[in-house]
Amino acid sequence: MKKNIGLILVLVLVIMMVGTYIKQQTEQDEAIAENAKGYEVETGIAKEQFAPDFTLTNLAGEEVTLSDLRGKNVILNFWATWCAPCEAEMPHFQKYYDQYAGQDNVEIIGVNATYAKEKIERVKQFTKSYDLTFPILLEPTGTVAERYEVLTIPTTFFIDAEGKVQRQIKGPLDLDALQGYVAELNS
């Protein structure tokens, strides 16, 4: 009888130890999962969020992916050929691109937000009339503009070299504004 009680006691202790071990492992796994949430990449258009990634084609038919530009500051501009404020700001974007983009480590990306409604020839004609040399991307479905919640054109996002949104501007920009906002990215 004493032998059976001893075996039962040992068995209960083993079961308790295994139960405690399983409980500790479960708690540890839950803690690791909870800590990992802090490392998830949060994307969005709010300040300090990683800019939503996308891939669009340029006028030459080549794909351009936003995340491939990490390491550079990005000025992401949504525009349309029929938009008078867009026309007004294009010479400023081109002047900035020619004179300052290299030294400021900036890439300008112009996204034609109404490509599905316009013929590609019209977009090419527009870019040629303003001698635009920075990449112009075509937005055939509107999904990128939707992800960036673009309701007003022009809308411009300033994205830092880490890929985080730092500022959103609705309306046209001039050269001084471009330089000022880029200076904020570099500070």
Side-chain angles (χ1 to χ4, degrees):
M1 179 84 174
K2 284 186 176 182
K3 200 175 187 183
N4 286 341
I5 292 176
L7 278 173
I8 291 173
L9 188 59
V10 169
L11 189 57
V12 167
L13 288 173
V14 168
I15 291 172
M16 286 176 55
M17 286 175 34
V18 168
T20 302
Y21 174 78
I22 291 171
K23 182 180 177 191
Q24 287 175 339
Q25 286 300 104
T26 302
E27 288 173 353
Q28 187 177 19
D29 290 346
E30 289 172 355
I32 289 170
E34 185 64 32
N35 286 338
K37 286 182 182 176
Y39 295 102
E40 292 176 5
V41 175
E42 186 177 348
T43 63
I45 60 169
K47 185 175 174 66
E48 294 296 328
Q49 287 184 320
F50 283 95
D53 200 16
F54 62 84
T55 300
L56 294 172
T57 57
N58 63 19
L59 291 172
E62 303 161 333
E63 289 188 342
V64 176
T65 301
L66 181 64
S67 60
D68 289 347
L69 299 173
R70 292 253 170 94
K72 285 187 158 201
N73 296 311
V74 175
I75 300 172
L76 178 62
N77 176 255
F78 291 86
W79 64 279
T81 59
W82 49 262
C83 164
C86 300
E87 289 185 69
E89 74 178 357
M90 284 301 164
H92 298 285
F93 275 90
Q94 186 59 49
K95 188 170 186 174
Y96 178 85
Y97 192 70
D98 289 341
Q99 295 181 2
Y100 305 105
Q103 70 190 34
D104 291 343
N105 192 34
V106 169
E107 184 62 75
I108 296 176
I109 301 293
V111 177
N112 179 265
T114 58
Y115 171 61
K117 297 174 186 169
E118 295 182 288
K119 294 186 180 336
I120 191 170
E121 290 76 27
R122 174 68 185 116
V123 178
K124 287 180 178 180
Q125 178 186 19
F126 182 94
T127 58
K128 186 177 180 182
S129 68
Y130 288 98
D131 295 320
L132 303 180
T133 59
F134 54 88
I136 301 296
L137 306 183
L138 305 171
E139 164 77 287
T141 63
T143 55
V144 175
E146 285 176 19
R147 288 176 67 198
Y148 279 83
E149 299 176 21
V150 174
L151 300 174
T152 304
I153 339 184
T155 294
T156 305
F157 292 87
F158 290 83
I159 302 167
D160 67 20
E162 293 179 16
K164 294 180 180 178
V165 174
Q166 294 302 323
R167 185 175 294 277
Q168 174 186 11
I169 304 295
K170 296 175 183 176
L173 296 165
D174 62 17
L175 183 61
D176 291 337
L178 289 167
Q179 288 178 296
Y181 294 137
V182 169
E184 290 176 7
L185 292 176
N186 290 325
S187 60

